[in-house]
């Protein structure tokens, strides 16, 4: 007779090393890293340029320059670019984040040779048509109007601005006024200065064939101009006041963000804090989730996040709460900080978090695209190549004492900004 | 080609195994054939609330998440109109932990009042977060209500009203469990770095002794054919207007499904698709426009939604959409355009087969609609579609009298 009360034994979670990518160098000196994995004949090619907000002469130019790249060249209209890529069953995306800009292609391996000439054309002679810039700006402003109606978006914008300041690359927010000040020349300048060889690295993941790398060299090894651009200097101007509340009437919920500036991935405490963050609010079994959702039913979702950028990092707790219990919810969040400072994490809980993290790291490197993303983060941040295996070691070795000390250092209630919207 | 084996236990549980040695993980996906369409009109949102309760403890396991996390895994679930789907991804050597957990909650829940009390609150907050406190969050309530007059697709999965969730009782919970959460009403798919023989052994060990239930009576409710254009206008404090057009289409299993799917792709799959290219980029009438189909077990919807650009009236925007639809009804698309859509589908299918978890979910879904092996026939079904098929479908589906229009308008201050 089966005894359901007896749990099957849990086996030790083995860790695997991150695959070592093959490195090639294109004729213009750009490094390309190849991760060959998986069973499908598919590829992801990503061009990453260090051309984000730190390189801007004017706010928002990195985002607009990257997005409008797809809208036409000297020879091809935007519509033709879209048509050709769609016909090959591929997709191409142009995106930017705070630090970098990305051009990403997904394609069947067999069509790489047909997609690359299109990308070469885009990079050699982007037209940045005036009307396309204007319509991009118009659409962005309309999207912004919707975002500004969402409490959680407003709260997030406010928090990062309070931490870094309204003029800092990690702190400024898009506004209709900023969009209105953009001139076509700003966009062209940003592209020409920063989309250059020494600011670029490429990742190729999936199942390339024997030709893939030489094809990439043929089409992209000349077109990206040789050169280097430097980051600009920006002063950090954090808000002196730590609390901010935007009241709205008729709100059924309030968005809360409680956060502070921390550090980038090079900091000695980054990996340990990543573990502490997981315990606090980084997974379903986290203390915040168990206390505020599963025990009290205050919210549908509550979480904490450690966000590492290339040059800095911040940490925050976020959730949307029923309006009349928001104050109690905030009190509970601080009381979870307090528990981590004052009490050792029980061994059972720590073991569970360790196992959970080791399993989730397996998923993080499962398949070519996931593995390439982890490798890219290591490269972009200029971290040692064994950073991922160091993280596994840190997880295996960290103690409840280490974590308590960390909480005492970084989770002091009065060190946090507090934003409430609603 | 996705290789799999299929078995059925004596209690009626279907078990499908797909070995995938490219991953160190295993996925355990358990699909229950129950969704919001099985609810009573005065007790909507219940299937989804029930999904939450499945994580609130079973007869022998007080906390579902602790063991799965201890095993290095993660687990979640979703509910839609047709199904409730639970899945866990964990390192393959710990596969049995997922069997222990999933089978215990199928064998019996703990049915504690406290769990129900908390999850009612959590789901009410989810309702507020996704439907009330978001611009356009209740658009789906209005649109489904307009398109379905009789069929239970009339309400969204989250529920028609908050009070239905607040009023759910333990008696409702128990009845629902005994009616739907039985082995003969479920499909178990295991994929990843596993051995078929071992999976089968585990399935028999953990699920084999759970008694079958009486097969839930499924009264198919047929939505009568729509014969007149329907229209609804909602005015609220939102930043911009949105227009929705919804057309009735056949179910996911219907031979016309792939044709209609490609018809929607003509309009909106990729940056070169007609609605995006013509109406948004060239004519600048919209700042956002999309078209998709619902692909449900019972007859679904073909939906177009768009945000008109600043200064464009909703009438102009609507007329521009109809002009595109009328063109599809009047002129056949070119072979070149059709080939483009087929190439896109070929790519999409290749990419979807690169994830073991996606494969498990898809195998379960295709088994639900008739046969797991349909997963291997999708590519063919799309390749067979002709220009003539697209033309016929456009004329059959995109008719004014088959259309429900929702205008979600921004309240103007004057």
């Amino acid at each position: 007779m089966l005894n359901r009360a007896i749990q099957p034994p849990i086996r030790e979670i083995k860790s695997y090393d991150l695959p070592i990518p093959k490195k090639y160098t294109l004729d213009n000196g750009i490094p390309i890293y190849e991760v060959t994995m998986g069973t499908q004949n598919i590829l992801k090619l990503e061009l990453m340029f260090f051309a984000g907000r730190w390189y801007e002469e004017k706010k928002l130019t990195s985002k607009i320059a990257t997005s409008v790249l797809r809208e036409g060249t000297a020879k091809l209209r935007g519509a033709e670019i879209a048509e050709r890529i769609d016909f090959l069953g591929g997709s191409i995306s142009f995106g930017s984040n705070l630090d970098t800009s990305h051009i990403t292609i997904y394609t069947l391996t067999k069509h790489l040779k047909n997609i690359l000439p299109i990308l070469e054309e885009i990079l050699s002679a982007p037209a940045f048509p005036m009307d396309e810039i204007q319509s991009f700006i118009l659409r962005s402003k309309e999207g912004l109007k919707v975002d500004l109606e969402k409490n959680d978006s407003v709260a997030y914008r406010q928090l990062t601005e309070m931490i870094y300041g309204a003029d800092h690359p990690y702190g400024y927010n898009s506004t209709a006024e900023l969009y209105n000040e953009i001139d076509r020349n700003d966009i062209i300048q940003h592209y020409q200065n920063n989309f250059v060889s020494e600011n670029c690295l490429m990742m190729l993941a999936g199942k390339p064939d024997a030709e893939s790398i030489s094809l990439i060299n043929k089409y992209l090894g000349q077109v990206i101009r040789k050169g280097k651009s430097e980051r600009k200097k920006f002063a950090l101007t954090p808000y002196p006041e730590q609390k901010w509340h935007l009241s709205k009437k008729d709100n059924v919920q309030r968005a809360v963000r409680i956060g502070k500036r921390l550090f980038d991935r090079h900091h000695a405490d980054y990996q340990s804090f990543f573990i502490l963050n997981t315990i606090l609010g980084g997974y379903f079994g986290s203390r915040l989730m168990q206390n505020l959702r599963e025990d009290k039913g205050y919210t549908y979702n509550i979480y904490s996040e450690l966000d590492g950028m290339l040059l800095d990092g911040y940490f925050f707790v976020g959730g949307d709460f029923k309006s009349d219990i928001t104050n109690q919810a905030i009190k509970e969040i601080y009381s979870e900080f307090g528990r981590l400072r004052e009490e050792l994490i029980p061994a059972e809980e720590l073991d569970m978090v360790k196992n959970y993290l080791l399993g989730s790291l397996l998923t993080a490197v499962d398949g070519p695209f996931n593995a390439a993303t982890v490798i890219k983060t290591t490269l972009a941040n200029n971290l040692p190549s064994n950073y991922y295996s160091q993280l596994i070691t840190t997880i295996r070795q960290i103690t409840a004492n280490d974590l308590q000390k960390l909480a005492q250092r970084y989770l002091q209630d009065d060190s946090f900004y507090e934003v409430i919207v609603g | 080609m996705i290789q799999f084996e299929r078995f059925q236990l004596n209690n009626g549980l279907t078990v499908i195994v797909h070995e995938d040695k490219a991953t160190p993980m295993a996925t355990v996906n358990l699909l229950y054939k129950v969704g919001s369409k099985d609810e009573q009109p005065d007790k909507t949102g219940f299937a989804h609330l029930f999904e939450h309760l499945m994580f609130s403890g079973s007869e022998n396991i007080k906390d579902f998440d602790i063991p799965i996390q201890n095993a290095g895994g993660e687990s979640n679930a979703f509910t839609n109109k047709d199904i409730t789907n639970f899945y866990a991804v964990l390192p393959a050597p710990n596969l049995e932990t997922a069997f222990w957990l999933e089978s215990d909650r199928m064998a019996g829940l703990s049915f504690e009042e406290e769990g129900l009390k908390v999850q009612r609150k959590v789901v009410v907050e989810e309702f507020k977060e996704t439907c009330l406190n978001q611009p356009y969050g209740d658009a789906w309530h209005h649109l489904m209500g307009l398109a379905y007059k009789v069929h239970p697709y009339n309400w969204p999965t989250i529920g028609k009203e908050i009070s239905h969730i607040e009023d759910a009782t333990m008696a409702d919970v128990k009845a629902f469990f005994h009616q739907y959460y039985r082995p003969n009403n479920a499909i178990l798919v295991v994929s990843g770095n596993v051995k078929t023989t071992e999976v089968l052994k585990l399935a028999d060990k953990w699920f084999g002794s759970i008694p079958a239930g009486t097969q839930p009576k499924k009264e198919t409710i047929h939505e009568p054919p729509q014969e007149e254009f329907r229209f609804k206008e909602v005015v609220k404090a939102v930043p911009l207007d949105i227009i929705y057009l919804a057309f009735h289409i056949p179910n996911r299993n219907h031979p016309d499904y792939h044709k209609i799917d490609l018809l929607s792709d003509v309009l909106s799959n990729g940056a070169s698709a007609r609605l995006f290219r013509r109406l948004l980029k060239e004519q600048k009438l919209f700042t956002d426009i999309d078209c998709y189909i619902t692909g449900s077990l019972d007859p679904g919807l073909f939906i177009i939604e768009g945000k008109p650009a600043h200064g464009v009236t909703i009438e102009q925007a609507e007329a521009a959409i109809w002009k595109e639809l009328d063109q599809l009804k009047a002129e056949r698309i070119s072979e070149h355009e059709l080939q483009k859509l087929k190439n896109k589908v070929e790519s999409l299918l290749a990419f979807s087969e690169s994830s073991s978890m996606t494969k498990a979910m898809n195998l379960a879904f295709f088994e639900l609609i008739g046969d797991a092996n349909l997963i291997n026939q999708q590519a063919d079904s799309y390749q067979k579609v002709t220009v003539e098929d697209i033309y016929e479908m456009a004329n059959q589906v995109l008719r004014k009298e088959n259309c429900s229009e929702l205008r979600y308008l921004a309240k103007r201050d004057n």
Side-chain angles (χ1 to χ4, degrees):
Chain A
M1 184 62 189
L2 178 68
N3 185 348
R4 291 189 177 275
I6 300 171
Q7 178 175 359
I10 285 176
R11 308 226 154 80
E12 192 204 328
I13 296 154
K14 283 196 198 132
S15 298
Y16 297 85
D17 277 339
L18 198 56
I20 297 168
K22 274 192 232 157
K23 182 185 174 182
Y24 302 89
T25 306
L26 305 187
D27 289 347
N28 46 11
I30 297 174
I32 176 162
Y33 297 86
E34 180 194 297
V35 183
T36 303
M37 277 172 90
T39 51
Q40 303 294 114
N41 290 312
I42 54 180
L43 286 178
K44 175 185 180 185
L45 171 65
E46 181 171 2
L47 283 60
M48 178 165 84
F49 290 91
F50 296 92
R53 289 178 164 195
W54 288 90
Y55 299 84
E56 289 177 338
E57 297 278 351
K58 208 166 172 179
K59 286 172 189 162
L60 297 177
T61 45
S62 64
K63 175 182 167 180
I64 301 170
T66 312
S67 302
V68 182
L69 267 178
R70 69 182 316 144
E71 305 296 359
T73 72
K75 284 187 224 150
L76 290 176
R77 287 181 305 121
E80 286 170 298
I81 294 173
E83 179 66 32
R84 289 190 190 190
I85 298 213
D86 278 349
F87 192 79
L88 295 165
S91 76
I92 185 165
S93 66
F94 297 82
S96 58
N97 59 36
L98 300 175
D99 291 304
T100 48
S101 290
H102 302 255
I103 303 174
T104 311
I105 287 175
Y106 289 95
T107 178
L108 297 177
T109 304
K110 63 180 179 183
H111 290 319
L112 180 68
K113 61 175 181 297
N114 301 315
I115 286 202
L116 284 170
I118 307 171
L119 184 55
E120 181 192 29
E121 169 68 18
I122 292 173
L123 290 166
S124 76
F128 296 113
M130 191 64 205
D131 63 327
E132 293 288 0
I133 293 173
Q134 282 170 344
S135 23
F136 178 81
I137 287 175
L138 192 76
R139 288 200 303 278
S140 302
K141 286 199 294 192
E142 299 281 86
L144 183 60
K145 278 187 205 161
V146 178
D147 274 347
L148 291 177
E149 290 298 316
K150 296 179 181 166
N151 290 350
D152 53 347
S153 307
V154 174
Y156 179 79
R157 286 165 59 100
Q158 182 66 25
L159 178 67
T160 46
E161 187 173 311
M162 289 172 90
I163 293 175
Y164 292 104
D167 290 314
H168 190 275
Y170 294 152
Y172 85 73
N173 285 297
S174 59
T175 60
E177 292 71 34
L178 283 179
Y179 278 115
N180 292 342
E181 284 167 22
I182 295 288
D183 183 277
R184 176 168 177 258
N185 282 327
D186 303 327
I187 303 301
I188 295 173
Q189 272 304 299
H190 184 84
Y191 177 75
Q192 286 179 347
N193 292 345
N194 301 302
F195 280 64
V196 288
S197 63
E198 289 188 47
N199 289 44
C200 180
L201 76 82
M202 300 188 192
M203 300 291 309
L204 179 67
K207 260 178 96 177
D209 60 23
E211 281 190 300
S212 300
I213 290 289
S214 57
L215 281 168
I216 292 170
N217 189 43
K218 178 178 167 192
Y219 290 106
L220 305 179
Q222 311 294 331
V223 66
I224 298 168
R225 187 171 64 78
K226 282 202 175 190
K228 181 174 170 60
S229 69
E230 300 288 345
R231 285 189 193 108
K232 302 191 174 18
K233 303 237 178 309
F234 294 92
L236 205 68
T237 51
Y239 277 33
E241 63 275 29
Q242 285 177 276
K243 296 196 180 188
W244 191 82
H245 184 177
L246 177 67
S247 284
K248 287 187 171 181
K249 50 178 185 187
D250 306 332
N251 256 343
V252 290
Q253 283 183 325
R254 287 182 176 151
V256 172
R257 296 289 180 277
I258 296 176
K260 67 185 287 186
R261 182 181 176 213
L262 279 181
F263 30 64
D264 66 38
R265 289 182 171 80
H266 292 272
H267 192 280
D269 288 333
Y270 189 91
Q271 294 190 337
S272 310
F273 195 88
F274 167 75
I275 300 165
L276 185 67
N277 171 64
T278 307
I279 293 165
L280 176 69
Y283 73 126
F284 190 82
S286 72
R287 291 184 168 193
L288 290 172
M289 197 70 163
Q290 293 306 313
N291 178 356
L292 280 89
R293 172 177 145 147
E294 293 300 295
D295 185 47
K296 302 200 170 63
Y298 283 171
T299 180
Y300 169 55
N301 191 19
I302 176 153
Y303 59 95
S304 67
E305 223 175 276
L306 171 62
D307 281 352
M309 290 84 74
L310 294 190
L311 302 174
D312 215 287
Y314 61 94
F315 158 78
F316 73 97
V317 174
D320 294 69
F321 305 100
K322 204 171 148 187
S323 297
D324 58 352
I325 54 90
T326 303
N327 288 336
Q328 283 138 278
I330 292 172
K331 223 177 99 201
E332 288 300 328
I333 292 169
Y334 285 117
S335 88
E336 292 298 343
F337 292 173
R339 268 177 72 207
L340 287 169
R341 289 191 310 260
E342 284 144 30
E343 298 165 25
L344 284 175
I345 295 161
E348 259 183 30
E349 183 183 358
L350 186 55
D351 286 345
M352 174 177 77
V353 171
K354 288 182 174 196
N355 283 350
Y356 164 76
L357 280 173
L358 292 170
S360 73
L361 286 182
L362 281 183
T363 304
V365 298
D366 188 12
F369 302 153
N370 286 344
T373 300
V374 175
I375 293 168
K376 185 184 71 180
T377 304
T378 314
L379 292 166
N381 284 277
N382 206 12
L383 295 163
S385 60
N386 66 346
Y387 188 79
Y388 174 84
S389 51
Q390 278 174 5
L391 176 57
I392 292 171
T393 310
T394 308
I395 293 168
R396 291 195 190 277
Q397 291 178 350
I398 202 160
T399 66
N401 268 315
D402 297 336
L403 288 161
Q404 186 180 17
K405 276 187 208 138
L406 209 61
Q408 288 166 352
R409 191 172 314 153
Y410 297 112
L411 296 183
Q412 292 298 335
D413 294 356
D414 59 8
S415 67
F416 282 88
Y417 287 104
E418 195 179 293
V419 176
I420 305 171
V421 179
Chain B
M1 181 74 182
I2 296 174
Q3 305 281 352
F4 65 89
E5 289 201 59
R6 180 174 27 203
F7 310 90
Q8 194 166 41
L9 305 188
N10 289 334
N11 56 16
L13 178 68
T14 302
V15 182
I16 292 171
V17 190
H18 165 61
E19 296 186 3
D20 177 2
K21 305 294 181 196
T23 169
M25 312 296 284
T27 299
V28 174
N29 189 85
L30 186 55
L31 179 157
Y32 288 97
K33 302 176 193 175
V34 59
S36 58
K37 77 164 183 301
D38 302 299
E39 296 159 351
Q40 298 302 314
D42 57 345
K43 290 183 176 181
T44 67
F46 195 81
H48 168 251
L49 172 65
F50 195 90
E51 173 213 311
H52 279 245
L53 292 171
M54 285 285 279
F55 291 91
S56 297
S58 52
E59 272 174 3
N60 298 285
I61 306 168
K62 197 171 166 289
D63 187 303
F64 183 90
D65 295 290
I66 290 173
I68 202 97
Q69 286 155 182
N70 260 321
E74 228 170 334
S75 163
N76 211 335
F78 63 83
T79 309
N80 64 29
K81 295 176 189 314
D82 299 318
I83 62 170
T84 311
N85 191 72
F86 298 84
Y87 58 95
V89 181
L90 70 179
N94 283 330
L95 176 64
E96 188 164 3
T97 302
F99 271 91
W100 173 61
L101 288 162
E102 277 301 355
S103 65
D104 200 54
R105 60 183 178 179
M106 188 192 278
L109 290 181
S110 58
F111 299 119
E112 278 168 23
E113 276 296 342
E114 188 55 28
L116 175 61
K117 212 174 106 191
V118 170
Q119 292 307 319
R120 270 195 309 242
K121 282 202 240 170
V122 170
V123 173
V124 166
E125 291 310 305
E126 181 179 359
F127 192 114
K128 290 184 198 162
E129 195 172 317
T130 56
C131 301
L132 303 184
N133 219 18
Q134 288 290 337
Y136 322 106
D138 62 349
W140 225 236
H141 285 79
H142 294 292
L143 189 62
M144 293 299 125
L146 190 62
Y148 292 101
K149 292 298 167 203
V150 181
H151 192 281
Y153 285 170
N154 169 279
W155 56 84
T157 303
I158 186 78
K160 199 188 263 179
E161 288 165 32
I162 282 185
S163 65
H164 290 183
I165 299 157
E166 287 169 336
D167 293 345
T169 66
M170 190 50 83
D172 297 329
V173 172
K174 286 184 178 166
F176 200 80
F177 180 76
H178 293 297
Q179 190 172 6
Y180 296 110
Y181 278 70
R182 298 291 83 214
N184 47 326
N185 198 41
I187 300 163
L188 176 71
V189 180
V190 178
S191 73
N193 205 327
V194 299
K195 283 204 189 87
T196 305
T197 46
E198 260 169 47
V199 172
L200 195 56
K201 254 188 244 163
L202 289 173
D204 202 50
K205 173 178 171 185
W206 291 105
F207 286 95
S209 59
I210 301 173
T214 44
Q215 195 60 247
K217 262 186 259 151
K218 298 250 172 174
E219 287 170 49
T220 316
I221 299 169
H222 295 281
E223 179 71 20
Q226 184 177 329
E227 280 161 355
E228 257 182 3
F229 174 67
R230 294 174 190 161
F231 178 85
K232 183 169 185 178
E233 193 172 275
V234 176
V235 182
K236 282 215 172 163
V238 289
L240 309 164
D241 298 343
I242 300 194
I243 179 171
Y244 295 85
L245 301 179
F247 301 86
H248 292 278
I249 57 171
N251 62 32
R252 179 64 181 80
N253 229 352
H254 192 278
D256 287 342
Y257 174 82
H258 300 89
K259 304 172 191 170
I260 295 171
D261 196 17
L262 288 187
L263 174 66
S264 75
D265 288 351
V266 177
L267 292 171
S268 85
N269 188 358
S272 72
R274 292 185 179 194
L275 291 181
F276 179 80
R277 184 50 52 189
R278 297 177 181 175
L279 303 193
L280 185 144
K281 299 291 294 182
E282 288 169 12
Q283 299 169 36
K284 300 182 171 56
L285 294 170
F286 288 86
T287 54
D288 217 342
I289 190 155
D290 199 5
C291 165
Y292 47 90
I293 60 176
T294 56
S296 43
L297 279 192
D298 289 344
L301 294 174
F302 181 113
I303 295 169
I304 297 171
E305 60 172 276
K307 290 195 187 93
H310 185 71
V312 176
T313 66
I314 198 110
E315 290 79 13
Q316 281 172 298
E318 190 193 331
I321 295 175
W322 277 108
K323 201 176 150 205
E324 288 301 325
L325 303 186
D326 288 340
Q327 195 189 348
L328 278 172
K329 294 191 280 184
E331 293 167 33
R332 288 162 184 80
I333 67 167
S334 69
E335 289 290 347
H336 181 88
E337 192 167 2
L338 180 62
Q339 191 56 48
K340 176 179 80 178
L341 306 176
K342 291 181 177 180
N343 292 346
K344 278 237 142 197
V345 168
E346 183 195 7
S347 271
L348 276 177
L349 291 174
F351 276 92
S352 78
E353 289 181 13
S354 69
S355 152
S356 201
M357 188 180 89
T358 309
K359 283 187 280 188
M361 279 184 194
N362 288 343
L363 282 164
F365 178 75
F366 284 112
E367 181 66 15
L368 170 75
I369 66 170
D371 178 1
N373 197 43
L374 286 168
I375 200 170
N376 292 314
Q377 294 162 13
Q378 293 306 299
D380 250 14
S381 305
Y382 283 108
Q383 293 306 325
K384 279 187 193 140
V385 174
T386 66
V387 163
E388 198 58 33
D389 290 333
I390 303 272
Y391 174 75
E392 268 176 34
M393 288 304 118
N395 280 285
Q396 191 177 306
V397 174
L398 304 174
R399 291 171 297 117
K400 184 114 185 181
E401 59 276 21
N402 188 35
C403 176
S404 301
E405 175 180 351
L406 171 67
R407 289 182 182 179
Y408 205 117
L409 304 179
K411 198 172 186 174
R412 307 286 194 288
D413 287 334
N414 49 11

